[in-house]
């Protein structure tokens, strides 16, 4: 987690949570629940491997909460990153 504090307003706080996956030599599928986010909806940016193009990624802007589950497919040497805030 990254906590950002705006000193000019005396305490405005934004909490960003990151989820990162680095894959090894074999493609794989990973299912993960986001219960670590806690209550409430969060804006999410998800960067996934584009399974149809080896040198490309797909970027998705969505919302997530503690009830959300992600199904993540990674290619050989690929990965995933999610930012929730």
């Amino acid at each position: 987690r990254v906590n950002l504090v705006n000193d000019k307003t005396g305490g405005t706080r934004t909490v960003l949570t990151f989820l990162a996956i680095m894959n090894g030599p074999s493609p794989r599928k990973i299912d993960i629940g986001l219960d670590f986010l806690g209550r409430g909806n969060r804006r999410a940016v998800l960067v996934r491997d584009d399974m149809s193009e080896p040198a490309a990624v797909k970027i998705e802007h969505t919302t997530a909460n503690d009830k959300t589950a992600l199904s993540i497919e990674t290619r050989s040497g690929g990965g995933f990153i999610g930012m929730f805030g």
Side-chain angles (χ1 to χ4, degrees):
R1 286 189 166 196
V2 177
N3 296 325
L4 304 173
V5 178
N6 184 339
D7 292 331
K8 291 182 181 178
T9 61
T12 299
R13 184 175 133 165
T14 302
V15 177
L16 298 177
T17 301
F18 292 85
L19 171 65
I21 298 171
M22 296 186 310
N23 194 28
S26 301
R28 61 181 72 228
K29 181 179 176 186
I30 302 161
D31 296 316
I32 186 165
L34 301 181
D35 56 333
F36 59 85
L37 290 178
R39 298 178 121 186
N41 289 330
R42 307 274 182 97
R43 290 177 296 157
V45 178
L46 310 177
V47 182
R48 305 171 181 264
D49 289 335
D50 183 338
M51 301 306 283
S52 64
E53 179 62 43
V57 295
K58 292 182 179 179
I59 301 172
E60 178 183 353
H61 296 266
T62 188
T63 58
N65 60 42
D66 62 332
K67 306 280 190 262
T68 303
L70 295 176
S71 183
I72 301 164
E73 287 186 70
T74 59
R75 2 174 237 280
S76 173
F80 168 89
I81 188 153
M83 181 180 74
F84 308 92

